[in-house]
Amino acid sequence: SEEAERNCLQALETDPESAKFHVSLGGIRRDQGRYEESEAAFRRALELDPDFVYALDNILYAHTFDGRHSAEACLADAREY
């Protein structure tokens, strides 16, 4: 929802280095169908915390639904990490 997105963006203003907030934003945007923005938020979470498996899982989940990635591309992305 727009309210959830606003709240998450406010939280990121307070703590822009929070991988958890970036994952939350990515999930909100994925649910809105904004897959490129969603992926960017998940990738930012991984930059901040490379061991945050939940962020990678969400990237792959988003790829499943965005229509831009084949199954092979998703697997290649998974292997990259």
Side-chain angles (χ1 to χ4, degrees):
S1 76
E2 290 180 24
E3 181 180 359
E5 183 177 14
R6 271 193 310 275
N7 291 338
C8 194
L9 290 170
Q10 287 175 342
L12 279 166
E13 286 178 17
T14 303
D15 187 0
E17 302 299 308
S18 170
K20 290 180 182 180
F21 290 154
H22 284 281
V23 165
S24 294
L25 181 62
I28 291 165
R29 291 185 171 165
R30 181 197 59 227
D31 293 347
Q32 294 171 334
R34 296 162 59 188
Y35 298 112
E36 289 182 32
E37 294 171 80
S38 172
E39 182 178 341
F42 294 138
R43 288 193 183 277
R44 179 64 180 137
L46 278 177
E47 289 173 9
L48 294 167
D49 183 355
D51 296 323
F52 196 10
V53 176
Y54 192 64
L56 175 60
D57 182 54
N58 274 283
I59 289 171
L60 298 176
Y61 183 80
H63 283 186
T64 302
F65 295 100
D66 72 2
R68 298 179 303 130
H69 298 86
S70 66
E72 293 82 13
C74 290
L75 287 172
D77 229 12
R79 289 185 184 111
E80 179 182 325
Y81 292 97

